[in-house]
Amino acid sequence: DYQGDYVTPENFMAVLKGDARHAKGGKGKVLKSTINDRVFINFADHGAGGLLAFPHDYLYRQDLWETFEYMYKHNMYKELVFYLEACESGSMLLDMPTEWRIYAQSAANPYESSWAYYCEPDDIVNGQHVGSCLGDHYSISWMEDTDRGDLTETIFQQFQTVKKRVVGSEVMEWGDLTLNTQPIGNYHSNAFKLTTINRLRAQFLKSMTNFGTARAVDSRDVKLHYLNNKHKKLQNLYCLLYTSD
């Protein structure tokens, strides 16, 4: 709904506040939830101590907290679950008030990098290498766990699974931890159907228990990883041409 230059901190906050008047560009969609709704937010991007990166600007901790406080005071949710993937993402959630009824997870503690995943040589889409990391270790772990189809699994059970898989950074919980006893189906989906293909996919995902860090790349080193692989390809091409001559 919001793309390119319209992916901004201002639009992000306006969407969460249900403020269509200040949402610029896109289709003008904003959150219209009430005190009877459960809200799930997933955010993945770059970050640093006390900030999250957008394409051309930053969202700071104070602004995020003011947005959550506004949502809480205006009864925009019954309970809210927030998954955050970014370097030093824990710094955005440290000491979050429990009375807001917000449960949050961060891909990393307040002081460390998060990790990219499915980078070269695993960056294949439709049989082609795309030259970019396709995901991050935290997000692909919880998404692939949810894709197994067991929506009765609790948020805490999924947290434990993800924390075990993501060994490059410390996945953490914040806010109102009493909410982690709820099933993930309250937030991730309520319409997953175990068709034959989904059953096969679920069986495959259940066999994926050893993610490790062999294919994970420090998010701060992604560009270096990309350039290093590009250099190796050029070297191999040069050797091939030299041999051919």
Side-chain angles (χ1 to χ4, degrees):
D1 296 312
Y2 296 88
Q3 302 179 18
D5 292 338
Y6 297 115
V7 181
T8 66
E10 291 75 20
N11 271 345
F12 180 69
M13 291 184 287
V15 168
L16 294 183
K17 291 178 178 179
D19 185 2
R21 188 166 62 92
H22 289 98
K24 307 297 183 182
K27 298 179 180 178
K29 289 185 178 180
V30 296
L31 194 62
K32 297 180 179 180
S33 54
T34 71
I35 191 63
N36 298 314
D37 295 310
R38 292 186 176 98
V39 174
F40 175 68
I41 303 169
N42 178 55
F43 185 100
D45 209 309
H46 294 291
L51 65 84
L52 297 175
F54 281 70
H56 306 294
D57 206 346
Y58 301 108
L59 173 66
Y60 294 95
R61 179 176 183 265
Q62 179 179 347
D63 297 320
L64 178 66
W65 279 38
E66 288 177 354
T67 300
F68 283 151
E69 186 175 23
Y70 176 94
M71 296 175 70
Y72 167 67
K73 289 183 176 180
H74 287 78
N75 295 319
M76 292 190 66
Y77 59 85
K78 177 181 179 181
E79 294 147 346
L80 190 152
V81 170
F82 181 40
Y83 283 10
L84 177 59
E85 198 293 320
C87 289
E88 302 177 29
S89 46
S91 65
M92 298 293 290
L93 306 170
L94 186 65
D95 297 325
M96 176 177 285
T98 58
E99 61 267 24
W100 288 353
R101 301 192 309 278
I102 295 176
Y103 167 84
Q105 287 183 20
S106 63
N109 69 35
Y111 315 105
E112 65 184 353
S113 174
S114 60
W115 290 72
Y117 214 75
Y118 293 135
C119 305
E120 195 166 357
D122 303 307
D123 59 333
I124 300 175
V125 177
N126 295 327
Q128 299 292 325
H129 290 282
V130 301
S132 177
C133 299
L134 303 182
D136 61 84
H137 209 177
Y138 168 73
S139 295
I140 64 102
S141 294
W142 76 255
M143 289 180 183
E144 290 177 355
D145 181 75
T146 295
D147 279 347
R148 294 179 179 189
D150 181 10
L151 298 181
T152 65
E153 177 185 31
T154 68
I155 294 172
F156 182 66
Q157 287 173 326
Q158 182 172 83
F159 167 76
Q160 290 179 308
T161 297
V162 173
K163 188 176 179 68
K164 182 178 179 180
R165 289 180 175 177
V166 181
V167 295
S169 62
E170 183 183 10
V171 179
M172 300 189 72
E173 296 179 294
W174 310 91
D176 185 355
L177 302 189
T178 66
L179 301 185
N180 70 14
T181 60
Q182 296 184 41
I184 61 173
N186 281 0
Y187 298 93
H188 295 183
S189 172
N190 60 4
F192 187 90
K193 296 181 180 179
L194 279 178
T195 60
T196 300
I197 190 167
N198 281 336
R199 284 195 183 92
L200 292 173
R201 189 163 191 261
Q203 290 173 5
F204 169 72
L205 290 170
K206 285 178 181 177
S207 70
M208 297 175 66
T209 57
N210 183 23
F211 280 73
T213 57
R215 293 180 293 174
V217 177
D218 188 315
S219 292
R220 296 188 178 99
D221 294 334
V222 167
K223 187 172 183 179
L224 178 62
H225 177 82
Y226 165 74
L227 293 173
N228 183 53
N229 278 282
K230 188 174 182 179
H231 176 67
K232 288 180 180 178
K233 287 181 179 178
L234 289 174
Q235 280 187 315
N236 291 337
L237 178 61
Y238 174 79
C239 290
L240 179 62
L241 291 173
Y242 182 81
T243 303
S244 298
D245 290 341

